[in-house]
Amino acid sequence: MNTANMLRLVLLAAIWGSSFLFMRIAAPVLGPAVLIEYRVGFAAVFLAIVGVFLKKRLDLRANWKHYLVLGLLNSAFPFLLFAFAARTLSASVLSVLNATAPMWGALIGALWSRQAISGRSALGLLLGTAGVALLVGFDQVTSRAGAGLAIAAALVAAVSYSVASAYAKTARSVEPFANAHGSMWAATLLVIPVLPFFPAPAQPTIGIMGAALALGVLCSGIAYILYFKLIQDVGPTSALTVTFLNPLFGILWGALFLGEVVGWHTVLGAAIVITGTALVTGFRPAFLGRAFVPLSFKRK
């Protein structure tokens, strides 16, 4: 994890953290289905353009079923749930609930392989659950109508990401960029049948469409390119660090641009969730300190 990759990591966390800001802005106006159709559609077109320049092929004949599964579990379904929750919950709460995904992933992985959960993982699950309870129990957004359903939707979305990860480990090997590109086109098709049931509640402004465009191009298209570059350079374990940084930026952007109140429960709940997730996944951030050591002091 050199300085360049560390900067990519922080930039990716800032981008993905902003996705909850953009959803919070656009979801009440466009509704979850229309917003997500814009998001995955814009991302698919952007990645198609990038694919032409990079000469990347999708090989649809061999991989179309794989793209559909990945597009459903990793994009269409969780995106819709988060957009639904964004009509009620704050960007801060959404970003912390999203950070539980690796925790559920480790649990699903243990169940999938029929392995016993270690004491460390069990402690992490308890801490993660306690962090979520603290966050939503003291946050004022939980008093809003429909908050309980919105929280459940966000948590199910996080679980869907975990199921997608478990599937990806056992699925056929497909080039990372093709996975991102193909799954976005699949998600675009999968969201279309939902559109008649969730029409846009209001006419979007230029600003609302700008938020939808940012969700697609920035938070999906560009973010995927950064993420797969990190996986290539530092491996999936180190790239996972972005999950722990996302809530920091989600809380920051919500406070700066939406005037969301950052209470003690927000900070403490996020810290407990992140700690629990780190315990469950066995994550050890020792490399973070090494990444910031000046190059002249590093061993050759």
Side-chain angles (χ1 to χ4, degrees), residues 19-79:
S19 66
F20 304 103
L21 165 69
F22 295 130
M23 280 193 287
R24 184 76 183 114
I25 292 171
V29 176
L30 292 174
V34 175
L35 173 59
I36 298 310
E37 183 65 14
Y38 277 132
R39 176 176 185 173
V40 294
F42 285 144
V45 171
F46 173 79
L47 290 171
I49 294 171
V50 174
V52 170
F53 281 100
L54 297 180
K55 298 180 179 179
K56 299 282 191 179
R57 296 176 63 247
L58 279 178
D59 196 6
L60 285 173
R61 180 174 296 180
N63 300 320
W64 67 271
K65 292 182 181 179
H66 169 71
Y67 294 145
L68 281 174
V69 174
L70 205 58
L72 174 65
L73 297 176
N74 200 55
S75 298
F77 185 56
F79 285 1

Side-chain angles (χ1 to χ4, degrees), residues 50-252:
V50 174
V52 170
F53 281 100
L54 297 180
K55 298 180 179 179
K56 299 282 191 179
R57 296 176 63 247
L58 279 178
D59 196 6
L60 285 173
R61 180 174 296 180
N63 300 320
W64 67 271
K65 292 182 181 179
H66 169 71
Y67 294 145
L68 281 174
V69 174
L70 205 58
L72 174 65
L73 297 176
N74 200 55
S75 298
F77 185 56
F79 285 1
L80 283 169
L81 290 174
F82 270 121
F84 172 82
R87 300 183 305 172
T88 305
L89 304 180
S90 64
S92 303
V93 170
L94 288 170
S95 64
V96 176
L97 294 177
N98 176 74
T100 63
M103 182 175 68
W104 306 125
L107 177 61
I108 290 172
L111 295 174
W112 193 292
S113 60
R114 297 182 181 179
Q115 294 179 351
I117 298 175
S118 66
R120 177 191 177 99
S121 295
L123 175 60
L125 287 169
L126 288 174
L127 281 176
T129 304
V132 171
L134 176 65
L135 177 73
V136 302
F138 287 89
D139 200 291
Q140 61 179 356
V141 300
T142 58
S143 62
R144 299 173 183 171
L149 185 58
I151 292 167
L155 288 173
V156 172
V159 172
S160 182
Y161 287 139
S162 304
V163 175
S165 297
Y167 161 77
K169 291 178 182 178
T170 58
R172 61 186 302 164
S173 178
V174 177
E175 192 267 330
F177 182 86
N179 267 337
H181 185 194
S183 65
M184 285 299 105
W185 282 115
T188 302
L189 294 175
L190 289 167
V191 175
I192 289 176
V194 185
L195 292 174
F197 300 98
F198 295 95
Q203 189 69 24
T205 63
I206 294 177
I208 296 297
M209 290 305 300
L213 181 64
L215 267 175
V217 175
L218 181 64
C219 300
S220 297
I222 294 176
Y224 268 125
I225 294 174
L226 284 171
Y227 183 61
F228 289 127
K229 174 63 176 173
L230 276 172
I231 291 177
Q232 178 183 350
D233 289 351
V234 303
T237 301
S238 295
L240 178 69
T241 318
V242 70
T243 303
F244 302 92
L245 298 176
N246 283 348
L248 304 180
F249 285 99
I251 293 170
L252 176 63

